[in-house]
């Protein structure tokens, strides 16, 4: 379970950073593609290989011990988790197929098209409980402003609590 949680944390943090990048700049576009590749590798390894082998090992152990309740519970919960993993594998594969072969946008029209594709891709993910993407350019500045306000609010609370 810890490897799945670590993988989720890596992919989520990298994904949030990915949406602050300005794809008009070559180095940031390359970072975007690197993050897509990183997310693909991490998800395929943890959700494909690690989950499958460990799920099978757990069910095999429950069966060998004759623990029918754990075996049936493992089958039901494992099937649900496997379905979730298939959805994540599918999404990571689609993103890799879509973004890794893309070339750097050459003009404003291509940049706008890439921006729309990113927003469209992430708005679809927002429907299943992932936070909506940070918009490019202005969104990164807004994210920084929100973070600055949150830090200032925490400092204000600390000073207020200290004085009370």
């Amino acid at each position: 379970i810890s490897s799945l949680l670590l993988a989720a944390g890596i992919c989520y943090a990298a994904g949030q950073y990915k949406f602050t990048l300005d794809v008009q700049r070559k180095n940031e576009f390359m970072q975007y593609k690197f993050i897509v590749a990183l997310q693909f590798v991490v998800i395929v390894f943890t959700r494909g290989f690690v989950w499958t082998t460990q799920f099978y090992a757990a069910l095999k152990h429950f069966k060998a011990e004759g623990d029918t309740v754990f075996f049936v519970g493992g089958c039901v919960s494992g099937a649900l988790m496997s379905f979730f993993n298939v959805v994540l594998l599918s999404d990571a594969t689609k993103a890799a197929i879509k973004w890794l072969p893309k070339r750097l946008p050459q003009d404003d029209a291509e940049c706008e098209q890439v921006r729309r594709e990113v927003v469209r891709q992430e708005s679809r993910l927002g429907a299943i409980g992932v936070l909506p993407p940070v918009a490019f350019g202005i969104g990164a500045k807004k994210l920084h402003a929100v973070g600055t306000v949150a830090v200032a609010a925490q400092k204000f609370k600390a000073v207020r609590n200290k004085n009370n």
Side-chain angles (χ1 to χ4, degrees):
I1 291 180
S2 62
S3 65
L4 296 178
L5 292 174
L6 178 63
I10 290 169
C11 290
Y12 180 77
Q16 292 305 304
Y17 172 72
K18 178 174 71 175
F19 298 116
T20 65
L21 297 174
D22 182 2
V23 294
Q24 290 178 328
R25 296 184 179 141
K26 183 177 182 174
N27 65 332
E28 293 188 29
F29 185 71
M30 296 308 292
Q31 287 179 35
Y32 190 94
K33 290 173 71 167
F34 174 78
I35 291 170
V36 168
L38 173 72
Q39 289 174 320
F40 175 75
V41 169
V42 167
I43 288 173
V44 166
F45 178 71
T46 57
R47 303 287 175 165
F49 177 73
V50 172
W51 168 256
T52 304
T53 57
Q54 295 307 304
F55 175 52
Y56 176 74
L59 290 180
K60 187 177 170 183
H61 173 75
F62 296 148
K63 186 74 170 171
E65 292 293 316
D67 198 342
T68 308
V69 174
F70 273 95
F71 181 77
V72 171
C75 287
V76 171
S77 60
L80 293 173
M81 185 67 180
S82 294
F83 176 73
F84 177 73
N85 288 339
V86 167
V87 170
L88 291 179
L89 285 163
S90 172
D91 187 60
T93 302
K94 287 177 186 176
I97 290 169
K98 179 177 184 175
W99 291 104
L100 294 180
K102 276 199 184 290
R103 62 181 180 83
L104 180 68
Q106 300 299 321
D107 57 22
D108 290 340
E110 287 181 6
C111 287
E112 187 59 33
Q113 180 184 2
V114 168
R115 285 184 183 142
R116 280 192 216 140
E117 288 176 7
V118 168
V119 170
R120 189 176 316 117
Q121 174 186 351
E122 292 310 308
S123 65
R124 177 179 49 81
L125 288 177
I128 59 171
V130 177
L131 292 176
V134 175
F136 291 92
I138 294 172
K141 291 177 184 172
K142 286 181 182 178
L143 177 64
H144 178 72
V146 168
T148 303
V149 169
V151 168
Q154 290 299 321
K155 287 180 181 179
F156 177 75
K157 286 180 183 178
V159 169
R160 187 185 69 191
N161 291 339
K162 187 177 181 181
N163 292 335
N164 286 338

